[in-house]
Amino acid sequence: MKKQISILFALLLTAGLVSACSKEQQPATPVPTESTGTQESGEPQLPDISKDSSWPRTITDAGGHKIPLAGQPKRIAILHSNYLEYFFALGTPVAASAGASVGTAQQALETYETLIPFGGIEEIMDLGSAREINLEAVLEAKPDMIVTFAGHAGLDEIYDQLNQIAPVVLLDYSDTWQNQTRACGELVGKDDAAGKIIRETEEAIASAHEVLSQKDKTVAIFRTSGGKAFVARGSQSYYDAFGITPPKGYTFGYETFSLEAVAEMDPDYIIFMDYIDTAKGFAKSQEASSVWLNMSAVKNGNVLYFDDSLNTFGPLAMKLTAKKLVRAIK
């Protein structure tokens, strides 16, 4: 395997030298000129935010590496699908993407509510699961930049090999969505566009806060840990941003709760933010218990299911969450 990869590296480097000797450059893929990519009607389109910044530039990534960039990258490969929405929002769709911890990039494009509008716009090479980085697939994608997050499992073992394919940029997965948007904008020279996305998303969140903060309702947001338990989602700042109130006893930090603990909270609304089929199956399994059936949210039909893509907490996810919360909470 190592011998095969070495041969492929040599071929790629040779091709790169030939390309560098040519004075002709392939034109960038044109993008449509309107829309945010989250329309509910009409054909989905990439936003026209083509204004870019000066080149060359040197960026410092989340791993402390200084990376010189001669110009806007044309073929970006990302090793986790969480970052698909950032580059789509910036109008610079990636050439290749791995999936998330579950599933592939193609599955994300076909099922994630935030990404479905973009599914037919660009052809994206699927790099497989994010849990097992496929070097050969990355090499085949011929990227001029590779993007993932610091701490990506298994990355350290192949970091040097990835860098032989293209510069590797590490983002801070734990940073705010605003800062991650800025970081992605910096990579593609769209700093001003990143600022515009942030402003528009913050306005949507603020509008939701104005409505939701007036509601005298408690909301508990959960994942289901693979359909086995109630796991808290979000953070205090997340709840505060949207103007929603957690029930008494609800704690953050991805805490796990028993059915009895959730019943004691007795929230007005229970929102599962997970793979919808998994979450519905989990809720169905609780119906054998009178504890579940007697909760206010259950009796009043206020158990809701939000798509797992909202757990990226990225700009598209935050804007869509704002809209869905306003619709859901009466």
Side-chain angles (χ1 to χ4, degrees):
M1 176 64 74
K2 291 183 178 179
K3 183 177 180 181
Q4 290 176 333
I5 292 175
S6 297
I7 292 171
L8 287 170
F9 282 145
L11 290 173
L12 181 64
L13 290 173
T14 301
L17 289 172
V18 171
S19 175
C21 292
S22 171
K23 293 183 179 180
E24 295 185 40
Q25 289 185 334
Q26 293 297 320
T29 302
V31 297
T33 56
E34 294 181 356
S35 170
T36 61
T38 56
Q39 297 180 37
E40 294 186 348
S41 62
E43 292 297 321
Q45 295 178 309
L46 292 171
D48 177 22
I49 42 180
S50 56
K51 181 178 180 181
D52 56 13
S53 301
S54 60
W55 302 97
R57 55 172 51 187
T58 298
I59 63 106
T60 302
D61 73 0
H65 310 103
K66 291 189 179 298
I67 304 166
L69 302 175
Q72 185 184 53
K74 302 300 182 185
R75 291 187 61 81
I76 299 173
I78 59 176
L79 304 185
H80 196 291
S81 59
N82 266 18
Y83 291 106
L84 279 170
E85 69 176 284
Y86 288 91
F87 290 105
F88 271 127
L90 287 162
T92 53
V94 301
S97 173
S101 56
V102 176
T104 64
Q106 188 58 40
Q107 288 172 310
L109 286 167
E110 292 173 354
T111 62
Y112 277 20
E113 194 173 354
T114 52
L115 301 181
I116 286 174
F118 301 104
I121 292 178
E122 296 289 331
E123 185 175 344
I124 296 176
M125 179 179 172
D126 201 317
L127 300 178
S129 172
R131 291 194 172 192
E132 296 181 8
I133 302 171
N134 188 328
L135 267 175
E136 292 188 29
V138 175
L139 183 62
E140 185 181 348
K142 299 180 181 177
D144 50 16
M145 177 184 289
I146 298 168
V147 178
T148 188
F149 57 90
H152 189 149
L155 179 67
D156 290 346
E157 291 84 348
I158 59 171
Y159 179 83
D160 291 339
Q161 289 170 287
L162 285 170
N163 260 306
Q164 291 180 55
I165 300 173
V168 178
V169 179
L170 304 181
L171 300 176
D172 185 352
Y173 184 80
S174 65
D175 208 345
T176 64
W177 65 266
Q178 291 97 326
N179 285 341
Q180 292 189 76
T181 300
R182 292 187 187 98
C184 291
E186 185 180 24
L187 296 182
V188 295
K190 292 190 174 182
D191 310 69
D192 292 342
K196 181 174 183 289
I197 292 164
I198 291 167
R199 289 191 299 274
E200 290 177 347
T201 305
E202 288 179 338
E203 286 169 5
I205 294 169
S207 178
H209 182 280
E210 185 176 356
V211 174
L212 295 169
S213 61
Q214 304 303 312
K215 308 287 185 182
D216 185 23
K217 304 292 183 181
T218 58
V219 181
I221 303 177
F222 298 107
R223 286 194 81 169
T224 69
S225 186
K228 298 177 182 178
F230 296 86
V231 182
R233 293 302 289 158
S235 62
Q236 184 66 64
S237 61
Y238 181 81
Y239 271 65
D240 291 345
F242 289 111
I244 54 178
T245 304
K248 185 176 181 180
Y250 183 95
T251 53
F252 303 101
Y254 308 107
E255 296 291 334
T256 298
F257 300 98
S258 66
L259 173 61
E260 289 71 23
V262 175
E264 189 173 343
M265 299 175 198
D266 199 24
D268 296 306
Y269 287 82
I270 293 174
I271 297 176
F272 290 109
M273 210 150 74
D274 204 336
Y275 293 98
I276 291 177
D277 288 345
T278 301
K280 285 185 174 180
F282 175 72
K284 183 72 175 175
S285 71
Q286 307 304 309
E287 292 179 2
S289 170
S290 60
V291 175
W292 169 259
L293 296 174
N294 286 319
M295 285 197 287
S296 298
V298 178
K299 290 191 293 185
N300 295 326
N302 291 334
V303 178
L304 308 172
Y305 302 92
F306 286 8
D307 184 62
D308 186 64
S309 64
L310 303 188
N311 283 306
T312 65
F313 306 117
L316 299 184
M318 295 295 281
K319 185 180 288 188
L320 184 56
T321 299
K323 182 184 297 185
K324 292 175 77 72
L325 286 171
V326 169
R327 287 179 176 174
I329 299 173
K330 307 302 182 183

